[in-house]
Amino acid sequence: MNGFAFLQPHTLDEALAAGAAPGAAYLAGGTNLVDLLKAGVERPQRVVHLGRLEGLDRIETLPDGGVRIGALVRNADLVELAERYPLLVEATLSGASAQLRNAATLGGNLMQRPRCAYFFDTASACNKREPGAGCDMIGGESRSAAILGASPSCVATHPSDLAVALVALDAVVEIAGPQGRREIALDDFYRLPGDAPSRETELGGGELILAVRLPAPAFAGHSRYVKARDRVSFAFALASAAAALRIEGGLIVEARLTLGGV
């Protein structure tokens, strides 16, 4: 692991100023970044810890009946939304172990890097880790590779279970950065690999997730998250699906199907 400066800002403005510097990385729960640091995949010059920022660890009910979930809300705390958003909670409980859910945050979960073995192995060619290096998963061990949306440059999948459920629920991401604040639908937040797989989201330099908003519950009565994986206790999806129906008067008036792990 390389040496780095460790900063703990107390305000959002301080965090954004620190995060905009070259070679900076944001740290929330650390369940992904610490692994990347130990593997030598990430080598930041400064790590900006967000844990002291106030207000980002709250779940708030909005006037329209929806909710706003702060980026620092622990995954384990999402269970309080079980009655209103059972699909989200089912996806949460299928991800990682109880110990990790107690540390991992919503924002960090959405921003986690691929769990591709070639991405984590610095001796392997990986266009996400080193643009232009190639992709050893293509032609290699590809059981966990993407079958939809992949490209000749990358066949890795995104590991988040939460993202699959949140897309089905019309989540909107609130973002802050050096140029101010903005919002984007989570469905538009992630980028397909194309010929630039190292850029995985629409976040710009120094930007970070503040919160995720969900509209008022529409699918609470008829929704499921299903996940196929190598072991039930703790494993990333080989394939997953969030399915939801809105039923009125015995008729399906709206349906959602979002796929993950493929």
Side-chain angles (χ1 to χ4, degrees):
M1 185 184 296
N2 65 298
F4 53 81
F6 186 73
L7 308 178
Q8 292 183 290
H10 289 81
T11 68
L12 179 60
D13 287 343
E14 290 175 354
L16 293 176
Y26 289 121
L27 172 69
T31 58
N32 185 204
L33 181 60
V34 172
D35 287 343
L36 295 170
L37 290 172
K38 290 191 292 185
V41 176
E42 296 277 7
R43 302 181 63 85
Q45 298 173 19
R46 56 168 58 186
V47 172
V48 183
H49 183 228
L50 304 176
R52 295 187 178 183
L53 301 186
E54 294 186 3
L56 298 188
D57 59 351
R58 302 172 186 167
I59 299 177
E60 307 169 76
T61 298
L62 301 174
D64 63 359
V67 296
R68 182 180 186 271
I69 309 170
L72 295 182
V73 170
R74 305 293 174 177
N75 288 0
D77 293 332
L78 294 174
V79 295
E80 71 177 70
L81 298 173
E83 184 175 340
R84 288 179 286 175
Y85 303 97
L87 178 63
L88 176 62
V89 174
E90 193 169 18
T92 302
L93 295 178
S94 75
S97 63
Q99 293 92 335
L100 286 173
R101 291 195 297 270
N102 285 334
T105 64
L106 173 63
N109 184 284
L110 298 181
M111 288 298 298
Q112 63 185 304
R113 305 298 304 278
R115 300 294 173 156
C116 170
Y118 297 95
F119 172 72
F120 267 86
D121 178 12
T122 55
S124 298
C126 175
N127 286 317
K128 278 190 178 292
R129 191 180 63 249
E130 185 180 348
C135 176
D136 276 349
M137 187 182 240
I138 298 176
E141 173 54 52
S142 57
R143 183 167 179 259
S144 62
I147 59 173
L148 301 172
S151 79
S153 298
C154 181
V155 292
T157 61
H158 195 274
S160 173
D161 294 292
L162 286 177
V164 181
L166 287 169
V167 167
L169 295 172
D170 289 335
V172 173
V173 182
E174 297 180 12
I175 297 167
Q179 306 304 317
R181 301 194 182 196
R182 61 190 182 99
E183 299 178 353
I184 185 171
L186 185 61
D187 195 24
D188 298 321
F189 181 75
Y190 295 107
R191 296 169 57 93
L192 291 175
D195 59 1
S198 61
R199 187 179 177 195
E200 297 168 2
T201 74
E202 293 296 338
L203 286 186
E207 288 191 317
L208 57 80
I209 296 174
L210 290 180
V212 172
R213 288 202 320 273
L214 293 175
F219 303 104
H222 305 87
S223 64
R224 285 300 309 273
Y225 182 75
V226 181
K227 177 178 179 180
R229 48 188 161 170
D230 283 325
R231 64 182 188 275
V232 174
S233 61
F234 172 30
F236 296 99
L238 295 171
S240 65
L245 302 176
R246 182 163 64 89
I247 299 177
E248 296 180 358
L251 298 175
I252 297 172
V253 296
E254 191 173 4
R256 300 292 168 83
L257 181 64
T258 307
L259 304 180
V262 292

